[in-house]
Amino acid sequence: MTAASAAKLRPHPALAAFVAFLVVAPFALSEFYVTLMNYIGLATLVVLGLVLLTGVTGLMSFGQQAFVGISAYTTGVVTTLYGGSPWLGLAAGLGLTALVALGLGLITVRLSGHYLPLCTIAWGISAYFVFGNLDVLGRYNGLGSIPALSLFGWTVDTGRKSYALIWVATLAALLAARNLLDSRSGRALRALRFRATMAESFGIDAAQLKLVIFLYAALLASLSGWLYAHFLRFVSPGAFTVNVGIEYLFMAVVGGASQVWGAVIGASLLTMLKEWLKDILPRFFEQSGNYEAIVFGLLMLALLHRARDGLMPVFARLGRGDPRRASPPVAAPGLSRRPRPAAGKLLLELRGVNKSFGGLAAVRELSFEMRGGEILGLIGPNGAGKSTVFNLVTGVLPADGGQIRFRGERIDALPARRIARLGIARTFQHVNLVGAMSVLENVAIGAHLRGAQGTVAAMLRLERDEERRLLHEAARQVERVGLAAHLGDSSASLALGQQRLVEISRALAADPVLMLLDEPAAGLRYQEKQALAGLLRRLRAEGVSILLVEHDMEFVMGLVDRLVVMDFGEKIAEGLPGEIRSDPVVIEAYLGGIE
Ligand code: ADP
Ligand code: MG
């Protein structure tokens, strides 16, 4: 066993301590605290879903308590009214939750801004009234005499037995979520929130992934509801008010909404605090009431003011630092590669393409062609429309008119993620990396479409073979642009020129037939530019076609096969570098101004 794999197998000391505590706790704690721990576990399940949904993906939900309620009531009805087994109750609860979440998710996850939180509040309120008004659910009195669970003849009828079941489920969910975030799907998920355009440009289906996470978060809440119903043996609508939904969200924020273990911290602290406040506050106010809500509100204000990332980063500092830092991946068999078009074969064709922003015509009647194994320079003054051409070809923006064909197929009406599948990869003029991810992980996003394993395989760690190959490929491409020493660094820590090189290696990881590079040499030193030119020549020799936007004329002229010159959205010249250099129209519009 190598040192690296031994280090991987050794559990994180904080995790080991936590598991040890969980094992010892039911023997060491009084019944009261065991029950408290049960509530913490139940809340952690729900909050974990919110961590993935809100913290990682950026979708805010105030309605998770309603999913808890659906499943608690379903198993209540199945077991008390129909005499069914709790396991049937679980299946029915999860099934019903999945149906509702899918329906709700299809409507809501595409909503932007405040619509999604509003929609989840509305959903939470209506679920509460449904629970409280249906005769079959016992109206506001709820359902009692729900049977205890039994598992291979072992009846879960005490707090300590429930503890075992709840915490096994919670730990499993925590590990599954951690596995998910550290996978192909997890990278996609973590990229979505702040880099949606980039993610779609590398083939990630944002809407589908968001729906999957919405569903997963609902199912976690549903599992919590089923455990809750059989632990408490009683359900009533009071446990599923919007207040409770807000508390879950607060727990996620307190813990640090983007980190899996933050769910445990948030759920623990607030559950304990709530218990303590319920005990102590009425003594001050000399009558009973939900005074803890006031304290929670004040705490929320303090937290948002003082520690926006929640408490998890504080705890993480006590541990070993960022566990996401990548060690160099082990060697793995290569991924399959796309066949390249024959040199000189028509590859990309623009015919009379137009794009306006309001009254501004950014691209006007633009036509040009690119062939296999060609480097075509696209030059022109700032604002000429070059980056807009990139956005049109890659599907980031829809064209207003004209046709774009790639290998004969119309692509001007396809979404970005479909165009990526055809083998078109790009870099962005304004660097589009995920700052919180390592260089290796950023580049691995480029290889997204070369893997196929989904979220469930990732949670169960069944995709390790493919993952190794993806990471190995990513590392190979990072090496190619000369950044091997920075594999594990966070991309935000690199100089701007190096970040552009990371962008190039991410595009390379997609195994592209056509690469669109938007000012790749900006910010590079002379020697780095030479190295980049060498790399682009080698790629051309391998049959990769490159559309290059660049302002450094020496770099461009020494590299490209042909040039297209734009000014005010129009093509003003096209030809060999020598011809363009001496073209009076070009000199007037562009080169003259620079030289
Ligand atoms: P270049 O890359 O050649 O410098 P761009 O394609 O970025 O030029 O921009 C061309 C013109 O279109 C500029 O005037 C720019 O301000 C405008 N433009 C580009 N993108 C947008 C956008 N998303 N919305 C509005 N105007 C835009
Ligand atoms: Mg530009």
Side-chain angles (χ1 to χ4, degrees):
M1 191 185 291
T2 64
S5 63
K8 268 217 164 109
L9 290 179
R10 200 170 51 229
H12 193 289
L15 173 60
F18 176 58
V19 174
F21 167 77
L22 286 180
V23 171
V24 175
F27 303 104
L29 297 177
S30 69
E31 190 71 34
F32 173 81
Y33 283 104
V34 169
T35 304
L36 194 62
M37 284 293 294
N38 288 347
Y39 281 114
I40 290 173
L42 291 170
T44 301
L45 278 174
V46 185
V47 176
L48 180 61
L50 278 176
V51 163
L52 295 175
L53 194 65
T54 303
V56 178
T57 320
L59 300 174
M60 194 171 281
S61 169
F62 290 93
Q64 297 309 101
Q65 77 290 352
F67 294 119
V68 180
I70 285 187
S71 142
Y73 271 106
T74 304
T75 198
V77 168
V78 167
T79 53
T80 60
L81 265 58
Y82 296 98
S85 111
W87 300 98
L88 184 65
L90 175 64
L94 291 177
L96 191 58
T97 306
L99 273 181
V100 174
L102 265 180
L104 213 59
L106 282 173
I107 307 168
T108 56
V109 297
R110 282 165 205 273
L111 300 180
S112 54
H114 301 306
Y115 292 109
L116 177 67
L118 285 177
C119 204
T120 57
I121 289 175
W123 144 246
I125 292 174
S126 37
Y128 169 74
F129 284 111
V130 169
F131 297 147
N133 283 298
L134 283 185
D135 281 329
V136 64
L137 302 182
R139 294 178 157 263
Y140 288 95
N141 296 321
L143 289 174
S145 334
I146 297 174
L149 289 172
S150 81
L151 204 67
F152 308 113
W154 178 66
T155 309
V156 188
D157 53 1
T158 68
R160 285 190 165 78
K161 288 178 181 173
S162 294
Y163 173 96
L165 196 64
I166 288 171
W167 277 101
V168 164
T170 304
L171 260 185
L174 283 164
L175 292 176
R178 190 201 60 172
N179 291 347
L180 173 64
L181 289 182
D182 177 34
S183 74
R184 169 180 178 265
S185 304
R187 279 189 296 275
L189 210 55
R190 284 152 58 205
L192 276 186
R193 184 171 179 189
F194 300 110
R195 300 290 186 203
T197 303
M198 181 278 291
E200 291 267 342
S201 293
F202 284 96
I204 293 165
D205 189 339
Q208 188 198 342
L209 206 50
K210 284 179 179 174
L211 187 62
V212 167
I213 291 306
F214 190 75
L215 186 65
Y216 181 58
L219 289 176
L220 281 176
S222 175
L223 177 63
S224 174
W226 176 74
L227 288 165
Y228 169 88
H230 291 286
F231 158 59
L232 214 70
R233 319 275 290 272
F234 166 75
V235 284
S236 71
F240 313 112
T241 60
V242 171
N243 268 359
V244 176
I246 294 173
E247 272 170 28
Y248 286 135
L249 202 57
F250 187 31
M251 288 176 184
V253 174
V254 166
S258 64
Q259 307 197 40
V260 165
W261 300 103
V264 185
I265 293 172
S268 305
L269 287 180
L270 288 191
T271 308
M272 289 191 287
L273 183 66
K274 200 167 121 182
E275 203 53 45
W276 182 69
L277 289 175
K278 265 187 185 159
D279 210 36
I280 202 150
L281 286 180
R283 285 188 221 161
F284 287 107
F285 294 97
E286 291 177 342
Q287 54 184 329
S288 62
N290 287 335
Y291 301 117
E292 65 273 12
I294 303 168
V295 178
F296 276 26
L298 292 175
L299 277 178
M300 183 73 133
L301 281 179
L303 192 78
L304 291 177
H305 197 64
R306 289 268 157 189
R308 291 199 150 216
D309 296 332
L311 296 177
M312 182 61 196
V314 180
F315 284 80
R317 248 173 267 143
L318 304 175
R320 257 197 329 204
D322 187 1
R324 282 193 202 134
R325 285 221 151 187
S327 48
V330 290
L335 298 164
S336 63
R337 301 190 57 188
R338 256 189 207 96
R340 304 260 173 271
K345 195 160 187 273
L346 183 61
L347 188 70
L348 179 73
E349 194 185 2
L350 279 77
R351 285 276 158 266
V353 174
N354 285 300
K355 180 70 192 177
S356 300
F357 298 108
L360 176 88
V363 172
R364 272 190 278 191
E365 290 299 319
L366 184 70
S367 302
F368 67 85
E369 290 175 358
M370 268 189 85
R371 299 185 172 270
E374 180 182 41
I375 301 184
L376 180 69
L378 182 62
I379 61 172
N382 272 328
K386 306 177 298 290
S387 296
T388 304
V389 170
F390 274 33
N391 288 334
L392 295 173
V393 171
T394 55
V396 166
L397 293 172
D400 297 337
Q403 298 191 356
I404 306 174
R405 286 173 195 275
F406 183 68
R407 300 178 106 170
E409 185 188 342
R410 280 283 290 267
I411 60 169
D412 43 85
L414 294 182
R417 60 171 197 282
R418 293 280 310 283
I419 294 175
R421 278 184 187 281
L422 302 175
I424 300 182
R426 68 175 294 181
T427 66
F428 293 85
Q429 181 182 349
H430 302 288
V431 174
N432 221 326
L433 299 172
V434 184
M437 280 191 195
S438 69
V439 167
L440 181 69
E441 284 182 299
N442 267 291
V443 175
I445 291 174
H448 185 80
L449 287 176
R450 300 174 78 185
Q453 300 278 0
T455 44
V456 176
M459 287 183 208
L460 301 174
R461 275 283 192 259
L462 298 176
E463 37 58 280
R464 288 293 100 180
D465 250 11
E466 180 187 278
E467 175 72 358
R468 262 192 295 279
R469 296 170 76 180
L470 293 177
L471 290 181
H472 181 64
E473 170 69 6
R476 206 168 68 83
Q477 302 301 351
V478 173
E479 241 164 70
R480 242 177 149 182
V481 299
L483 290 177
H486 296 286
L487 224 45
D489 294 350
S490 100
S491 61
S493 72
L494 301 186
L496 194 59
Q498 292 176 318
Q499 295 191 11
R500 291 188 181 283
L501 293 176
V502 176
E503 288 248 330
I504 295 172
S505 57
R506 184 177 60 199
L508 283 172
D511 184 31
V513 171
L514 170 63
M515 291 224 299
L516 287 73
L517 305 181
D518 205 342
E519 306 194 11
L524 294 189
R525 289 191 295 261
Y526 181 73
Q527 308 237 309
E528 291 170 322
K529 284 187 184 179
Q530 296 278 305
L532 177 61
L535 172 65
L536 299 186
R537 284 196 190 95
R538 281 196 299 283
L539 288 169
R540 170 170 58 189
E542 288 172 21
V544 179
S545 303
I546 299 168
L547 182 59
L548 177 70
V549 166
E550 184 52 58
H551 284 301
D552 182 335
M553 279 307 128
E554 198 190 329
F555 181 86
V556 171
M557 291 297 177
L559 188 62
V560 301
D561 299 301
R562 283 187 312 125
L563 282 159
V564 167
V565 188
M566 290 179 74
D567 196 14
F568 293 112
E570 284 179 312
K571 180 168 85 176
I572 58 167
E574 179 171 9
L576 302 172
E579 298 167 357
I580 296 299
R581 258 204 192 109
S582 54
D583 187 323
V585 179
V586 177
I587 293 171
E588 171 64 29
Y590 183 49
L591 293 179
I594 280 183
E595 280 169 2

